[in-house]
Amino acid sequence: MSFNKLLSEKKPAILKKWFDAILDTYPAETADFLKKQKDRFANPVGSTIHSGMDSLLNSLLNADDPDTISKYLDDIVRIRAVQDFTPSQSLAFVFKLKDAVREEMSGESNAGDFPGELIAFERRVDALALTAFDIYMKCREKIYDLKANELRNMTVKLVERANLIFEARYRDIDLKDLVLEGNKSERGE
């Protein structure tokens, strides 16, 4: 039996362990909800993560091209990038796949027959992690751009309001009177 065939047979168990590993990064209540709620409309985050992981594992087993793999990875990383995780916490799920595969393979009597294939698979997972990092950084850059634009827009609105208030307050005052008033206050009168 080939390495890929063995992994394909063990795919449901590997996927479950991998999914459980990513859920362990969430608070207990959230993890329970993500695990138990199967409806994709009631639980879009859990559904997206699970289907993305399933597709990623299929793509890795089929040695799909990087663009295909990146598409599935993008769905998961976007979710993790907006959540309250550090970058390493957000992307650690990629490496958890290696743990799940090793754990499932350890029970196989012929697992030692595939050292080269296992190393090749783990290298694909490592490449996946690098791609995940690139996607994560693009997501975070977009978030910072959105925050900066929002702050700029708020500042512009505040300045516009301040100008309107200033104009309304001093509209009827002659500029000469304003200058005289300023001179009086400087002299302490």
Coordinates of all heavy atoms in Angstrom, one line a residue, residues 139-174:
C139 N -3.8 40.0 5.0 CA -5.0 40.2 5.8 C -4.8 41.3 6.8 O -5.6 42.2 7.0 CB -5.5 38.9 6.4 SG -6.2 37.7 5.3
R140 N -3.7 41.1 7.6 CA -3.4 42.1 8.6 C -3.1 43.5 8.1 O -3.5 44.5 8.6 CB -2.2 41.6 9.5 CG -2.5 40.4 10.3 CD -3.7 40.4 11.2 NE -3.5 41.4 12.2 CZ -4.3 41.7 13.2 NH1 -5.5 41.0 13.3 NH2 -4.1 42.6 14.1
E141 N -2.4 43.6 6.9 CA -2.1 44.8 6.3 C -3.5 45.5 5.9 O -3.6 46.7 6.1 CB -1.3 44.7 5.0 CG 0.2 44.4 5.4 CD 1.0 44.0 4.2 OE1 0.5 44.1 3.0 OE2 2.2 43.6 4.4
K142 N -4.4 44.7 5.4 CA -5.7 45.2 5.0 C -6.4 45.8 6.2 O -7.0 46.9 6.1 CB -6.5 44.1 4.3 CG -7.8 44.6 3.8 CD -7.7 45.5 2.6 CE -9.1 45.9 2.1 NZ -9.0 46.9 1.1
I143 N -6.4 45.0 7.3 CA -7.0 45.5 8.5 C -6.4 46.8 9.0 O -7.2 47.8 9.3 CB -6.9 44.4 9.6 CG1 -7.8 43.2 9.3 CG2 -7.3 45.0 11.0 CD1 -7.5 42.0 10.1
Y144 N -5.1 46.9 9.0 CA -4.5 48.2 9.4 C -4.8 49.3 8.4 O -5.0 50.5 8.9 CB -2.9 48.0 9.5 CG -2.6 47.1 10.7 CD1 -1.7 46.1 10.5 CD2 -3.1 47.3 12.0 CE1 -1.4 45.2 11.6 CE2 -2.7 46.5 13.0 CZ -1.9 45.5 12.8 OH -1.6 44.7 13.9
D145 N -4.9 49.1 7.2 CA -5.3 50.1 6.2 C -6.7 50.6 6.5 O -7.0 51.8 6.4 CB -5.2 49.5 4.8 CG -3.8 49.4 4.2 OD1 -2.8 50.0 4.9 OD2 -3.6 48.8 3.2
L146 N -7.6 49.6 6.7 CA -9.0 50.0 7.0 C -9.1 50.8 8.3 O -9.8 51.8 8.3 CB -9.8 48.7 7.2 CG -10.1 48.0 5.9 CD1 -10.8 46.6 6.2 CD2 -10.9 48.8 4.9
K147 N -8.3 50.5 9.3 CA -8.3 51.2 10.6 C -7.7 52.6 10.4 O -8.2 53.6 10.9 CB -7.5 50.5 11.6 CG -8.2 49.3 12.2 CD -7.3 48.7 13.3 CE -8.0 47.5 13.9 NZ -7.2 46.8 15.0
A148 N -6.6 52.7 9.6 CA -6.0 54.0 9.3 C -7.0 54.9 8.5 O -7.1 56.1 8.8 CB -4.7 53.8 8.6
N149 N -7.6 54.4 7.5 CA -8.6 55.1 6.7 C -9.8 55.6 7.6 O -10.2 56.7 7.5 CB -9.1 54.3 5.6 CG -8.1 54.2 4.5 OD1 -7.2 55.0 4.4 ND2 -8.2 53.1 3.7
E150 N -10.2 54.7 8.5 CA -11.3 55.1 9.4 C -10.9 56.2 10.3 O -11.6 57.2 10.5 CB -11.8 53.9 10.2 CG -13.0 54.2 11.1 CD -14.2 54.6 10.4 OE1 -14.4 54.2 9.2 OE2 -15.1 55.3 11.0
L151 N -9.7 56.2 10.9 CA -9.2 57.2 11.7 C -9.0 58.5 11.0 O -9.4 59.6 11.5 CB -7.8 56.8 12.3 CG -7.2 57.7 13.3 CD1 -8.1 57.9 14.5 CD2 -5.9 57.2 13.8
R152 N -8.5 58.4 9.7 CA -8.4 59.6 8.9 C -9.7 60.2 8.6 O -9.9 61.5 8.7 CB -7.7 59.3 7.6 CG -7.4 60.5 6.7 CD -6.8 60.1 5.3 NE -7.4 59.0 4.7 CZ -8.5 59.0 3.9 NH1 -9.1 60.2 3.7 NH2 -8.9 57.9 3.3
N153 N -10.7 59.4 8.3 CA -12.1 59.9 8.0 C -12.7 60.6 9.2 O -13.3 61.6 9.1 CB -13.0 58.8 7.5 CG -12.6 58.3 6.1 OD1 -11.9 59.1 5.4 ND2 -13.0 57.2 5.7
M154 N -12.5 60.0 10.4 CA -13.0 60.5 11.6 C -12.3 61.9 11.9 O -13.0 62.8 12.3 CB -12.8 59.6 12.8 CG -13.7 58.4 12.8 SD -13.3 57.2 14.1 CE -12.8 58.1 15.5
T155 N -11.0 62.0 11.7 CA -10.3 63.2 11.9 C -10.8 64.3 11.0 O -11.0 65.5 11.4 CB -8.8 63.0 11.7 OG1 -8.4 62.0 12.6 CG2 -8.0 64.3 12.0
V156 N -11.0 64.0 9.7 CA -11.5 65.0 8.8 C -12.9 65.5 9.2 O -13.2 66.7 9.2 CB -11.6 64.3 7.3 CG1 -12.4 65.2 6.4 CG2 -10.1 64.2 6.8
K157 N -13.7 64.6 9.6 CA -15.1 65.0 10.1 C -15.0 65.9 11.3 O -15.8 66.8 11.4 CB -15.9 63.7 10.4 CG -16.4 63.0 9.1 CD -17.2 61.8 9.4 CE -17.5 61.0 8.2 NZ -18.2 59.8 8.4
L158 N -14.1 65.6 12.2 CA -13.9 66.4 13.4 C -13.5 67.8 13.1 O -13.9 68.8 13.6 CB -13.0 65.7 14.4 CG -13.5 64.6 15.2 CD1 -12.4 63.9 16.0 CD2 -14.6 65.0 16.1
V159 N -12.5 67.9 12.1 CA -12.0 69.2 11.7 C -13.1 70.0 11.0 O -13.3 71.2 11.2 CB -10.7 69.0 10.8 CG1 -10.4 70.3 10.1 CG2 -9.6 68.5 11.6
E160 N -13.9 69.3 10.2 CA -15.0 70.0 9.5 C -16.0 70.5 10.5 O -16.5 71.6 10.4 CB -15.7 69.0 8.5 CG -14.9 68.7 7.3 CD -15.5 67.6 6.4 OE1 -16.5 66.9 6.8 OE2 -14.9 67.4 5.3
R161 N -16.3 69.7 11.5 CA -17.3 70.2 12.5 C -16.7 71.3 13.3 O -17.4 72.3 13.6 CB -17.6 69.0 13.5 CG -18.5 68.0 13.0 CD -18.9 67.0 14.0 NE -19.6 65.9 13.4 CZ -19.5 64.6 13.8 NH1 -18.8 64.3 14.9 NH2 -20.2 63.7 13.2
A162 N -15.4 71.3 13.6 CA -14.8 72.4 14.4 C -14.8 73.6 13.5 O -15.0 74.7 14.1 CB -13.3 72.0 14.7
N163 N -14.6 73.5 12.2 CA -14.6 74.7 11.4 C -16.0 75.3 11.3 O -16.2 76.5 11.3 CB -14.1 74.3 10.0 CG -12.6 74.2 9.9 OD1 -11.9 74.7 10.7 ND2 -12.1 73.5 8.9
L164 N -17.0 74.4 11.2 CA -18.4 74.9 11.2 C -18.8 75.6 12.5 O -19.4 76.7 12.4 CB -19.4 73.7 11.0 CG -19.4 73.1 9.6 CD1 -20.3 71.9 9.6 CD2 -19.8 74.1 8.5
I165 N -18.3 75.1 13.6 CA -18.6 75.7 14.9 C -17.9 77.1 14.9 O -18.5 78.1 15.4 CB -18.2 74.8 16.1 CG1 -19.1 73.6 16.1 CG2 -18.2 75.6 17.4 CD1 -18.6 72.5 17.1
F166 N -16.6 77.1 14.5 CA -15.9 78.3 14.5 C -16.5 79.4 13.6 O -16.7 80.5 14.0 CB -14.4 78.1 14.1 CG -13.6 79.3 14.0 CD1 -13.0 79.8 15.2 CD2 -13.3 80.0 12.8 CE1 -12.2 80.9 15.2 CE2 -12.6 81.1 12.8 CZ -12.0 81.6 14.0
E167 N -16.9 79.0 12.4 CA -17.6 79.9 11.5 C -18.9 80.4 12.0 O -19.2 81.6 11.9 CB -17.8 79.2 10.2 CG -16.5 79.0 9.4 CD -16.7 78.1 8.1 OE1 -17.9 77.9 7.8 OE2 -15.7 77.8 7.5
A168 N -19.7 79.5 12.7 CA -21.0 79.9 13.2 C -20.8 80.9 14.4 O -21.5 81.9 14.5 CB -21.7 78.7 13.7
R169 N -19.8 80.7 15.2 CA -19.5 81.5 16.4 C -19.1 82.9 15.9 O -19.4 83.9 16.5 CB -18.5 80.9 17.3 CG -18.3 81.6 18.6 CD -17.4 80.9 19.5 NE -18.1 79.7 20.0 CZ -17.6 78.7 20.7 NH1 -16.3 78.7 20.8 NH2 -18.3 77.7 21.1
Y170 N -18.2 83.0 14.9 CA -17.6 84.3 14.6 C -18.1 84.9 13.3 O -17.5 85.8 12.8 CB -16.1 84.1 14.5 CG -15.5 83.7 15.9 CD1 -15.1 82.5 16.2 CD2 -15.4 84.7 16.9 CE1 -14.5 82.1 17.4 CE2 -14.9 84.4 18.1 CZ -14.5 83.1 18.4 OH -14.0 82.8 19.6
R171 N -19.2 84.4 12.8 CA -19.7 84.8 11.5 C -20.1 86.3 11.6 O -19.9 87.1 10.7 CB -21.0 84.0 11.1 CG -21.5 84.3 9.8 CD -22.7 83.4 9.4 NE -22.3 82.1 9.8 CZ -23.2 81.1 10.1 NH1 -24.5 81.4 9.9 NH2 -22.8 80.0 10.5
D172 N -20.8 86.7 12.7 CA -21.3 88.1 12.8 C -20.3 89.0 13.4 O -20.5 90.2 13.5 CB -22.6 88.1 13.6 CG -23.6 87.2 13.0 OD1 -23.7 87.2 11.7 OD2 -24.4 86.6 13.7
I173 N -19.1 88.5 13.8 CA -18.1 89.4 14.4 C -17.2 89.9 13.4 O -16.7 89.2 12.5 CB -17.3 88.7 15.5 CG1 -18.3 88.2 16.6 CG2 -16.2 89.5 16.1 CD1 -17.6 87.4 17.7
D174 N -17.0 91.2 13.4 CA -16.1 91.8 12.4 C -14.7 91.4 12.7 O -14.3 91.2 13.9 CB -16.2 93.3 12.5 CG -15.5 94.1 11.4 OD1 -15.0 93.4 10.5 OD2 -15.4 95.3 11.5

